[in-house]
Amino acid sequence: MSKLDHTRPFLPVRIAVMTVSDTRTLETDTSGTLLAERIVAAGHHLAARSIEPDDVDHITGCLKEWIADPEIDVIISTGGTGVTGRDVTPEAYEQVLEKRIEGFGELFRMLSYQKIGTSTIQSRALAGVARGTYLFALPGSSGAVKDGWDDILVWQLDSRHRPCNFVELMPRLREHLPASHD
């Protein structure tokens, strides 16, 4: 059950959106646009947006660049999570993730099942953390973006969500990394 504690401040996070597609452009990227609009409407900052081809090296390169950027807290991708030969987003994520958030994919598929039935089994939605940055991979349909954002991420990326949320953990995500010396 999602519950907001309005006595706590809302802390906007900086979110980058990656669409993985061989065919979409910024003009035809309905899923990426929908996600970007929802991010801004929720009060967060759209830190970056990119369209990357269904290619592990391209996806991984963009992920590494954004993970290294201190102005990006969260990366959400849409597309490339299916089971066809060109669907390689999970493989790219595996090259950068330090920790997986197993429950994200499980919860996404549970919620999706209520809407599309057993077809949800074709989704390899996943999430994790890399160098203090959260990463979430959603399927490329507008319906999947709505399910992932409206039913999970809008709540977990809200610092007022109780009993807990991802935002309150952000200061501790880099605890295991060596301290940088400027």
Side-chain angles (χ1 to χ4, degrees):
M1 198 50 63
S2 298
K3 179 180 176 187
L4 296 181
D5 178 352
H6 291 285
T7 66
R8 299 178 62 93
F10 174 79
L11 303 173
V13 295
R14 299 164 297 193
I15 303 172
V17 173
M18 177 194 306
T19 298
V20 177
S21 174
D22 287 332
T23 59
R24 293 185 188 170
T25 65
L26 281 176
E27 294 75 31
T28 62
D29 180 19
T30 54
S31 298
T33 298
L34 180 70
L35 181 56
E37 290 170 350
R38 277 173 153 68
I39 287 166
V40 172
H44 299 295
H45 302 292
L46 183 62
R49 185 164 173 202
S50 176
I51 297 181
E52 299 297 327
D54 290 291
D55 176 84
V56 171
D57 292 335
H58 279 93
I59 299 165
T60 304
C62 186
L63 290 174
K64 286 179 178 178
E65 181 182 322
W66 286 351
I67 290 165
D69 187 337
E71 297 301 312
I72 295 176
D73 303 309
V74 177
I75 300 167
I76 306 173
S77 66
T78 127
T81 62
V83 296
T84 70
R86 298 291 294 158
D87 292 322
V88 295
T89 301
E91 287 75 16
Y93 270 54
E94 289 300 330
Q95 292 188 22
V96 300
L97 290 181
E98 294 167 357
K99 293 183 179 185
R100 288 187 64 140
I101 303 171
E102 300 293 344
F104 177 78
E106 295 164 356
L107 179 57
F108 175 83
R109 283 180 285 279
M110 182 195 80
L111 294 167
S112 180
Y113 177 78
Q114 297 170 12
K115 297 173 184 171
I116 65 169
T118 60
S119 295
T120 194
I121 200 166
Q122 296 180 26
S123 166
R124 296 187 298 147
L126 68 115
V129 179
R131 301 198 59 77
T133 302
Y134 285 115
L135 291 89
F136 302 95
L138 296 171
S141 72
S142 293
V145 165
K146 289 175 187 175
D147 291 347
W149 180 262
D150 297 351
D151 296 340
I152 305 171
L153 294 175
V154 73
W155 303 107
Q156 280 297 300
L157 295 176
D158 191 320
S159 55
R160 302 166 299 174
H161 184 265
R162 292 289 158 254
C164 57
N165 61 75
F166 286 138
V167 178
E168 64 193 1
L169 299 177
M170 284 180 173
R172 298 184 56 208
L173 293 179
R174 299 177 59 89
E175 293 176 321
H176 67 295
L177 301 174
S180 63
H181 300 285
D182 296 324

